[in-house]
Amino acid sequence: PRWTRRCLTRRRRRERWLLPGYCITNVLVCSSYTKRRRHSWRTTPLTEDVSCALSPDSEEPSTERQVQLLHSALRQCLGLIHCVILKEEEEWGELEGDYETMRKNVQLRLEHLLHSTKGLVETENTTLEVTPDHQCNEETDGAGGVFGLKMWTYRVLLELVHWADHAAQTLHVLHTEREEREEI
Amino acid sequence: MPRLSVSPSSKPNCSPVWLISVLLGLLAIHTNAKDVLTVPQQVSLSANMYTQHLTISWLGGAATTFDLMILRTELNETVFYETVSVTMNQVSGRHQWNWTSVEPLQCTSLSIKIRSRDGQTTSEWSNTQILQGSDLPSNEELQMYPQDRIVPVGANTTFCCIVEEGKLFGTIRYGNTVMNTTRLSRRSFAATVVNQELSGKTGTNVVCFDNPKTKLTGAVVFVGYPPLPTDFVCETRDLTSAVCQWNEKRDTNLYRKRGTRYSLNKRNCTFSSPEEKQKECSVAQWEGNFTLVAVNPLGQYSLTDSAEINHRVHPVAPVNLTFVVHAWNASVLWQWEYNSYSSLALDCQVELASQGYKTKRTFSGVGLRSVVLSDLYPDEDYSVQVCCGAQQNFWKWGSWSKSFSFKTNNYVPDAPDVWMWMNKDYTGQVIWKPLTQRQSHGLITGYEVTLWSPEVNFQHTEFFSPDTYAVPVNLTQIATRSSDNKVMATVIAKNAAGVSQPASVLIPLRLTDVEPLTVSRAVYTDRGFPLFWQHNANDTCAYVVEWYEASCKWDCPVEWIKLAAGNTNVTIKSANFQPGVRYNISLYSNSSEAPELLQHWQGYMQELVPSSSVLLSTTQQDSDILLTWREIPLVNRRGFLLGYNIYISGGSQLTLLANLSDLESRSYTVKGLSQGLYNFTVKAYTSAGEDKGTTASITLEPYTDWLILEILVSLGITALLLAVVTVICYKKRKWVKKVFYPDIPEPKLSGDWSRSQGPLDVKPSPHSLVHMVQKPEWDSSKEVLVVIPEEDEDEEGLGIGDEPVDTDEPTSLRYYNQVVDERPIRPRFPDSSDSSASSLDSACTDVTYTGIQTSGSSLVFQLDPQGSSEGHQSQADLSVCGGGGGGGGGGGGYRPQMQSRAPSDDIGLASPEPFLEPQAASAGGYKPQSSWHFDSPVEAGESGRLAPSLGSPTSVASTQFLLPDEEEYAEEKRQPSSSAATWFTNLLSSTKP
């Protein structure tokens, strides 16, 4: 699937929720890469844009449905994180400093977020998985060199930041709607 | 092609021409040959993009020298232009030359052309061959070269960036450094990094940006070192295979797929933990010679090692250790991992650890599998490790086995170390030291203590718990029954394995009779109290040195050490030694007899300043101050007292008065101080310094005894002076009388002195004032003379008391022959109030002598005996009431001058009889001085001494001057000194107004 301008616009339109409790953008790795995001030269998304599956003429999906789609995207992010870890260990082995610890923290928090979203929107008819959804067979960017691997890793983290922000907003809306329903 | 042309001819005379033609032809052929150098054909290019090598091959004919030119195709810039010598490959018939490009070959297209050269002659250029770069218009993308380059530290690397078609070049960054760039082609730009430093583990990023920065691309370069292994050595563990080890001397900074690869005897080595510096690689069979080759992208390194297998035996660790344990020894058994060890001669060392200490014991044997560990302690935990090495051609000790533990069995305890403490009476303690673990040989279950005196057939045994180390004893009864002077105490320890040997101590019953020995001082050193004593050659006894706190008197916690015979010194140590505590240390003989005190020491582990000060008191002794103080209690001394310092404090500063090194002297006298407040401080001092001191204050007061003495001396001097004055006055009495009391002329009476009724106005001479008061008993029918002042008649009752009696105002005396005041006349007492009141009392006759020069006007009253008696009686009491007191006193009021029976002008001196009747004299009636005549001129002189006082302006109140009588005179004669004193007193009192 290709990222189209229409999909991008639609996705941005839906980014109007905020749920502070689930924000994982405080991870240092993500933050440091985010600062350099404007230098990105690739526009191809790494995660499959689940919203593109929706018909452009259809109504905006319900919040529960949005959370389900969000869960699917986060699953892909988790798969990509696994893939990044594998490739980096293969390339460099054990890395120095706190990088490995932070990378592990990102993975754990993402798994926790997947479990949380699953618990919120899983129904009898809908079964959500929390295992990584990626085969790790995607080639890295550029000429396949080490620089391409680094850029690909960066893009994976950018995707993660995006979907994490999205999750924060969507889950906040879900929380608000359910509270309103309970009050009624 | 030059061609040699030959034409036939029969004419012999043409030969010189033919020769010249041949030579010219040969020259022409040679010249023509040079002009036709072969142009290189079939130029081909072969590029290695990673190494940036370009291989150029061509067909160059016979030429061996070629000109090569390499140009950047787009900008037609010459990259390389040189003349090279290239030999033809005999097999392929081609010429080949290699060129290494500084820039990556992808950076831009290169044009290569070649020509043959022979000296200055060159062929035509070959056809240009182009090595196409990645900056062709067909390849529009943003690109960076080279990718993933691995270079050694210090290398120079050129990177090029090919910008996207239609975009502008921005910058190239090496890490965070912006590089200088050169343009290689329309889209290609190059930057060279020189002397590169070690990169990070993930390499150094080289990033290219377009302008404006919309996209980026980049490459990563790894900067590291070639491999450098060291300490390569091979050994065998199983006596068959080889295990080789080495270290990486430095980190190559290249990891994983760029890391170093090792091969041992051309067999690749794999590592379970590639990050470790220590590397190990094995080969299945011992080959004798071993070669290690280390290779990484930056180079390779080789090491070799050679040895026979039996010289490189490194035994493995013994396994499955087991034990056979006894009380004093244990056997250790183990197994070997390889059967081949059964025939290997081994040296094995056993490391035995117990109570924090480790010892090693070595054993030898072929295929050694067990050893016996002797000299162990019962009931003790041990841990054991074993390692072995080849006995022959020892290479190194093998690996240590795992540590295994065991505990030895129990055994009967050792005999306790017993001593005793006896108090001043027959009570005391039997003491023994707790058995250590190595003495108890198992858990102590209790002690058995027996007191035994064979002489009196006394034996008493008691059992005590394992935590008992002292038993009180009372030997009073035994002492009374036994003539022997000792009792034996025996202690036996018990544990699960049995009972110990009995330990005995003889308790002397006559300890109190021992005279105290001379006490020496023991000086503490870092190791304890070193003690020395003389050894008596005849003595074969052992010794006991005991010590305890000197302040302890009863059941003291004594410590001791037993020494074998022959010892003459020992250093006693104890964890219980405390600084500032005095210890008594005693040396006893320890034999079959009761212990005998041989020597006695005292010492401090560390002397401190006394913890308390002396109790100071101060007393004044005469003009000195005596300081006394009490001894500091032994516990508080905390050191050997060296003396006392006495200070006097002035403000906050102490001034040393004295230093007393005699400890027995605990007093000090401060002399030469003036009166005032003094503070004295006494400080005792030890070798550690002074205590805080005690301060006492005292105010030095004037010396009372001296004061009293001074007063007495002053009084004595005064009395002496008075006596001298008195004597002088007495000697010079005539002169005094003449000067101060000249004779008063005799009054002369004229006219008729017959009685007449009515007031008799007497005009006394100036300065005479006489109040005459008649006694109440006076018969009013009788004629009475009343003296009435001429003036101030109305103020008689008021003014007289207020007015000074001694007045110079001439006063008229009026004598009325009537009672003025009938109140009884009271005696007057010599107090001031009465004195003042008397002046207001009309009953008190005030007589102002000042003006009574005319009192000798012969006014005589007849006094009744009673009244005279009273007046005489009270006379002695009248001393202060002035003249009034005297006159108004017992003497009654004023009595007129006694009338002479035969008044005459020469009355007085010429009269042979006493002038006064005794009764009248005793009544103190007034008599003019002129009437005082005595038979004896001396007596007259004596009595006349009073006469001058009558003229005194101040002696107006004293009756002494008025009524001297014979009795008084007689008494004065009997007690002349008393009389003189009385006179003196009266003289003093007469001076009162």
Side-chain angles (χ1 to χ4, degrees):
Chain A
R2 302 292 297 176
W3 184 258
T4 62
R5 182 175 298 276
R6 187 186 64 181
C7 291
L8 179 63
T9 306
R10 186 174 297 169
R11 194 170 75 174
R12 284 175 180 167
R13 192 174 65 230
R14 292 195 302 269
E15 292 175 354
R16 57 176 181 271
W17 309 294
L18 177 65
L19 186 62
Y22 286 89
C23 181
I24 62 170
T25 56
N26 58 346
V27 179
L28 293 179
V29 177
C30 296
S31 301
S32 61
Y33 276 93
T34 306
K35 292 174 184 174
R36 296 160 54 187
R37 186 178 182 179
R38 62 179 179 274
H39 302 310
S40 176
W41 78 107
R42 291 291 290 261
T43 56
T44 305
L46 297 172
T47 51
E48 181 180 352
D49 183 28
V50 292
S51 62
C52 290
L54 299 172
S55 167
D57 300 328
S58 63
E59 293 289 327
E60 186 172 296
S62 66
T63 306
E64 277 77 7
R65 177 58 183 156
Q66 287 177 5
V67 173
Q68 288 174 2
L69 297 174
L70 179 67
H71 180 87
S72 175
L74 291 174
R75 240 185 107 204
Q76 291 184 49
C77 285
L78 182 61
L80 287 168
I81 288 291
H82 275 276
C83 193
V84 164
I85 293 172
L86 282 176
K87 286 181 180 294
E88 286 183 340
E89 287 182 348
E90 179 185 342
E91 186 70 31
W92 296 297
E94 185 180 344
L95 287 171
E96 304 157 343
D98 297 333
Y99 178 79
E100 288 194 357
T101 306
M102 292 187 289
R103 193 175 61 186
K104 189 69 177 173
N105 285 339
V106 170
Q107 180 185 349
L108 292 174
R109 292 177 188 183
L110 183 55
E111 287 173 354
H112 179 70
L113 182 59
L114 278 171
H115 281 92
S116 300
T117 50
K118 177 189 175 186
L120 284 172
V121 295
E122 192 175 46
T123 61
E124 293 179 355
N125 301 326
T126 310
T127 303
L128 299 178
E129 298 292 335
V130 292
T131 53
D133 183 15
H134 203 278
Q135 298 303 316
C136 202
N137 51 8
E138 182 173 332
E139 289 187 1
T140 57
D141 297 327
V146 177
F147 193 80
L149 172 62
K150 290 180 177 180
M151 292 303 297
W152 180 75
T153 304
Y154 170 59
R155 294 206 309 123
V156 168
L157 296 174
L158 283 183
E159 285 291 316
L160 179 60
V161 169
H162 167 78
W163 288 111
D165 289 343
H166 200 151
Q169 297 164 9
T170 308
L171 292 173
H172 178 70
V173 171
L174 179 69
H175 178 71
T176 307
E177 287 180 358
R178 288 188 174 178
E179 273 192 343
E180 290 174 353
R181 260 181 266 163
E182 287 177 1
E183 288 177 0
I184 293 172
Chain B
M1 184 160 180
R3 186 181 293 181
L4 181 62
S5 61
V6 177
S7 59
S9 174
S10 60
K11 293 180 180 177
N13 47 353
C14 293
S15 60
V17 176
W18 177 81
L19 182 61
I20 292 168
S21 300
V22 169
L23 291 173
L24 290 173
L26 289 173
L27 181 62
I29 289 170
H30 178 72
T31 304
N32 198 21
K34 285 186 176 177
D35 290 340
V36 290
L37 276 174
T38 305
V39 175
Q41 303 291 324
Q42 298 181 20
V43 176
S44 67
L45 303 175
S46 173
N48 184 330
M49 296 298 179
Y50 184 80
T51 60
Q52 299 175 188
H53 288 171
L54 178 63
T55 302
I56 307 166
S57 66
W58 65 92
L59 289 173
T64 57
T65 304
F66 301 91
D67 289 344
L68 264 73
M69 179 177 286
I70 300 175
L71 305 170
R72 293 192 183 105
T73 307
E74 280 193 24
L75 301 181
N76 203 27
E77 291 174 343
T78 300
V79 180
F80 181 84
Y81 178 37
E82 283 186 11
T83 300
V84 297
S85 295
V86 179
T87 57
M88 183 179 66
N89 186 310
Q90 297 300 324
V91 178
S92 62
R94 295 177 68 88
H95 293 80
Q96 181 175 317
W97 193 75
N98 293 326
W99 175 68
T100 302
S101 173
V102 175
E103 296 96 17
L105 296 175
Q106 301 94 327
C107 290
T108 187
S109 298
L110 297 175
S111 298
I112 299 100
K113 54 187 179 182
I114 308 168
R115 68 183 179 185
S116 300
R117 173 177 286 275
D118 183 8
Q120 296 301 317
T121 305
T122 57
S123 69
E124 296 292 326
W125 287 102
S126 66
N127 293 329
T128 300
Q129 291 295 315
I130 296 176
L131 178 65
Q132 291 189 336
S134 298
D135 57 346
L136 293 177
S138 59
N139 190 353
E140 297 180 347
E141 290 185 353
L142 179 65
Q143 304 160 67
M144 185 97 189
Y145 299 100
Q147 290 284 322
D148 302 342
R149 180 58 55 91
I150 303 168
V151 296
V153 173
N156 304 329
T157 307
T158 299
F159 297 89
C160 68
C161 175
I162 302 172
V163 297
E164 201 173 14
E165 188 67 52
K167 297 292 180 63
L168 296 177
F169 171 74
T171 56
I172 294 177
R173 285 177 177 269
Y174 182 83
N176 294 321
T177 306
V178 177
M179 307 299 297
N180 295 325
T181 55
T182 58
R183 189 165 197 165
L184 302 180
S185 70
R186 182 175 57 87
R187 290 170 55 201
S188 182
F189 296 84
T192 300
V193 184
V194 298
N195 195 19
Q196 287 171 274
E197 297 177 351
L198 271 179
S199 61
K201 197 171 186 177
T202 59
T204 301
N205 297 330
V206 187
V207 185
C208 176
F209 300 93
D210 59 3
N211 189 15
K213 288 182 178 178
T214 57
K215 288 185 180 179
L216 65 83
T217 188
V220 175
V221 59
F222 296 89
V223 185
Y225 292 104
L228 186 61
T230 59
D231 306 328
F232 175 64
V233 64
C234 296
E235 60 192 18
T236 183
R237 312 297 300 269
D238 57 2
L239 308 181
T240 302
S241 64
V243 178
C244 299
Q245 293 178 324
W246 66 92
N247 293 318
E248 285 183 342
K249 191 173 182 179
R250 74 180 170 202
D251 189 357
T252 62
N253 204 44
L254 303 172
Y255 307 95
R256 294 290 170 160
K257 60 187 179 185
R258 286 172 286 275
T260 304
R261 282 166 172 73
Y262 294 94
S263 62
L264 178 61
N265 286 359
K266 299 182 181 177
R267 287 182 282 271
N268 289 333
C269 297
T270 56
F271 308 102
S272 57
S273 54
E275 307 291 336
E276 286 189 5
K277 298 287 183 185
Q278 174 109 23
K279 307 289 185 184
E280 185 176 293
C281 189
S282 300
V283 289
Q285 289 293 326
W286 187 268
E287 297 176 0
N289 297 319
F290 302 93
T291 301
L292 174 73
V293 178
V295 180
N296 79 357
L298 298 178
Q300 74 171 39
Y301 199 89
S302 296
L303 292 172
T304 60
D305 183 33
S306 299
E308 294 181 14
I309 187 170
N310 55 2
H311 289 192
R312 295 290 177 88
V313 177
H314 182 197
V316 294
V319 295
N320 300 331
L321 266 68
T322 56
F323 304 95
V324 178
V325 181
H326 307 285
W328 297 96
N329 58 64
S331 299
V332 184
L333 301 91
W334 64 86
Q335 294 180 345
W336 291 109
E337 188 178 351
Y338 305 106
N339 292 329
S340 54
Y341 276 55
S342 59
S343 59
L344 181 64
L346 292 168
D347 286 335
C348 292
Q349 54 184 6
V350 179
E351 185 182 78
L352 197 63
S354 177
Q355 298 187 353
Y357 295 96
K358 289 183 177 179
T359 56
K360 283 181 181 175
R361 304 183 187 188
T362 303
F363 305 88
S364 299
V366 177
L368 199 61
R369 291 171 183 267
S370 67
V371 295
V372 176
L373 302 174
S374 57
D375 299 330
L376 305 181
Y377 290 98
D379 190 44
E380 189 154 329
D381 291 311
Y382 291 94
S383 64
V384 170
Q385 277 185 299
V386 181
C387 80
C388 299
Q391 196 173 7
Q392 298 171 347
N393 303 313
F394 180 82
W395 167 239
K396 61 172 68 171
W397 287 109
S399 303
W400 283 102
S401 69
K402 290 181 181 177
S403 180
F404 290 88
S405 299
F406 64 89
K407 186 171 187 176
T408 50
N409 297 336
N410 287 350
Y411 195 73
V412 295
D414 287 348
D417 187 356
V418 183
W419 188 237
M420 51 81 201
W421 168 266
M422 291 305 292
N423 297 315
K424 295 299 181 185
D425 53 10
Y426 291 108
T427 64
Q429 289 181 314
V430 174
I431 315 164
W432 61 93
K433 293 180 180 176
L435 293 175
T436 63
Q437 185 187 2
R438 288 193 170 175
Q439 293 171 329
S440 60
H441 304 158
L443 185 64
I444 296 294
T445 56
Y447 294 96
E448 179 183 307
V449 179
T450 302
L451 288 179
W452 177 55
S453 176
E455 185 180 343
V456 295
N457 196 20
F458 169 81
Q459 181 169 349
H460 178 68
T461 301
E462 276 195 52
F463 298 94
F464 297 95
S465 62
D467 55 351
T468 304
Y469 306 113
V471 174
V473 294
N474 189 343
L475 306 179
T476 307
Q477 292 184 353
I478 300 177
T480 55
R481 291 162 52 191
S482 172
S483 61
D484 198 1
N485 63 345
K486 60 180 182 294
V487 171
M488 178 174 286
T490 302
V491 180
I492 294 174
K494 295 181 176 181
N495 69 2
V499 298
S500 70
Q501 292 291 322
S504 301
V505 62
L506 286 171
I507 305 174
L509 295 177
R510 303 289 179 264
L511 260 185
T512 52
D513 299 333
V514 176
E515 289 295 326
L517 299 176
T518 307
V519 179
S520 306
R521 285 194 181 178
V523 181
Y524 190 83
T525 65
D526 294 339
R527 295 175 299 171
F529 285 106
L531 307 174
F532 304 91
W533 59 89
Q534 296 293 327
H535 175 64
N536 190 345
N538 297 327
D539 286 347
T540 57
C541 63
Y543 298 101
V544 174
V545 178
E546 72 161 25
W547 61 92
Y548 58 94
E549 292 185 14
S551 58
C552 179
K553 300 299 180 188
W554 200 265
D555 284 348
C556 300
V558 66
E559 295 182 75
W560 71 93
I561 183 173
K562 291 184 176 176
L563 303 171
N567 278 305
T568 58
N569 66 82
V570 70
T571 300
I572 60 170
K573 307 170 189 174
S574 173
N576 299 324
F577 283 145
Q578 299 290 329
V581 176
R582 181 182 291 188
Y583 292 96
N584 282 337
I585 305 168
S586 305
L587 174 70
Y588 290 93
S589 64
N590 186 21
S591 62
S592 57
E593 297 299 320
E596 180 185 354
L597 181 61
L598 302 177
Q599 202 158 339
H600 189 47
W601 295 269
Q602 285 189 328
Y604 287 89
M605 175 191 176
Q606 180 187 355
E607 291 194 56
L608 304 175
V609 298
S611 61
S612 69
S613 303
V614 299
L615 191 60
L616 179 64
S617 61
T618 57
T619 53
Q620 179 176 349
Q621 286 189 343
D622 300 339
S623 60
D624 303 332
I625 294 175
L626 176 63
L627 307 176
T628 55
W629 57 90
R630 293 183 186 176
E631 197 176 29
I632 298 176
L634 178 62
V635 179
N636 298 339
R637 287 181 207 169
R638 305 203 299 174
F640 293 111
L641 290 184
L642 301 178
Y644 301 97
N645 284 333
I646 293 105
Y647 297 92
I648 183 169
S649 61
S652 60
Q653 188 174 3
L654 292 178
T655 304
L656 180 66
L657 282 181
N659 168 262
L660 305 182
S661 57
D662 182 11
L663 295 175
E664 299 302 322
S665 171
R666 289 190 292 275
S667 65
Y668 182 74
T669 302
V670 185
K671 299 179 178 179
L673 297 176
S674 57
Q675 298 176 15
L677 176 64
Y678 293 95
N679 293 324
F680 295 98
T681 301
V682 175
K683 295 183 177 183
Y685 62 93
T686 66
S687 63
E690 296 178 324
D691 62 21
K692 294 178 180 177
T694 303
T695 301
S697 300
I698 186 171
T699 302
L700 188 61
E701 295 178 346
Y703 181 40
T704 312
D705 295 346
W706 276 109
L707 182 63
I708 295 172
L709 189 62
E710 288 172 359
I711 292 172
L712 291 176
V713 169
S714 302
L715 289 175
I717 292 173
T718 306
L720 185 62
L721 286 174
L722 287 174
V724 170
V725 170
T726 304
V727 169
I728 291 172
C729 289
Y730 177 74
K731 293 292 185 184
K732 300 294 183 181
R733 59 186 180 277
K734 291 182 180 178
W735 177 81
V736 172
K737 181 175 181 298
K738 182 179 179 182
V739 172
F740 295 101
Y741 299 98
D743 291 337
I744 302 170
E746 291 284 337
K748 293 181 177 178
L749 301 175
S750 58
D752 188 9
W753 279 87
S754 58
R755 291 182 182 179
S756 61
Q757 293 293 330
L760 175 63
D761 289 339
V762 178
K763 186 72 172 182
S765 61
H767 304 291
S768 296
L769 176 63
V770 179
H771 290 196
M772 305 296 290
V773 179
Q774 191 177 21
K775 291 188 64 173
E777 295 80 5
W778 188 264
D779 189 359
S780 59
S781 61
K782 293 182 179 179
E783 296 175 354
V784 174
L785 281 179
V786 176
V787 181
I788 301 173
E790 274 185 353
E791 298 175 2
D792 201 13
E793 184 175 352
D794 296 333
E795 297 174 2
E796 179 182 352
L798 298 174
I800 291 186
D802 294 334
E803 290 288 329
V805 176
D806 185 13
T807 176
D808 293 335
E809 287 293 324
T811 307
S812 299
L813 296 178
R814 293 181 182 178
Y815 295 105
Y816 294 92
N817 192 12
Q818 59 189 27
V819 176
V820 176
D821 189 350
E822 296 187 352
R823 289 178 296 177
I825 295 177
R826 298 164 302 192
R828 295 292 180 235
F829 297 95
D831 59 285
S832 58
S833 59
D834 285 348
S835 175
S836 62
S838 64
S839 60
L840 295 175
D841 194 346
S842 59
C844 183
T845 302
D846 290 338
V847 179
T848 303
Y849 292 88
T850 307
I852 313 183
Q853 280 98 358
T854 58
S855 57
S857 55
S858 301
L859 297 178
V860 178
F861 297 85
Q862 184 66 41
L863 301 177
D864 63 349
Q866 182 73 24
S868 62
S869 168
E870 289 177 5
H872 180 72
Q873 186 176 359
S874 62
Q875 182 178 3
D877 297 331
L878 301 176
S879 59
V880 182
C881 193
Y894 174 73
R895 289 174 178 79
Q897 293 173 326
M898 304 247 178
Q899 188 175 7
S900 174
R901 291 180 182 175
S904 67
D905 292 339
D906 53 351
I907 191 170
L909 293 176
S911 176
E913 296 175 2
F915 180 67
L916 294 174
E917 294 178 5
Q919 185 178 5
S922 66
Y926 175 74
K927 298 173 184 176
Q929 289 87 338
S930 57
S931 63
W932 298 353
H933 296 287
F934 297 93
D935 292 336
S936 171
V938 176
E939 290 175 349
E942 294 258 352
S943 61
R945 59 186 167 88
L946 298 176
S949 65
L950 294 175
S952 172
T954 57
S955 303
V956 295
S958 176
T959 59
Q960 296 295 326
F961 305 129
L962 298 176
L963 302 172
D965 55 13
E966 289 181 357
E967 288 181 5
E968 182 180 352
Y969 174 69
E971 189 173 353
E972 284 177 358
K973 285 182 71 178
R974 289 191 298 269
Q975 299 174 349
S977 60
S978 172
S979 174
T982 305
W983 178 87
F984 177 68
T985 306
N986 290 335
L987 177 64
L988 291 177
S989 63
S990 67
T991 58
K992 293 183 70 175

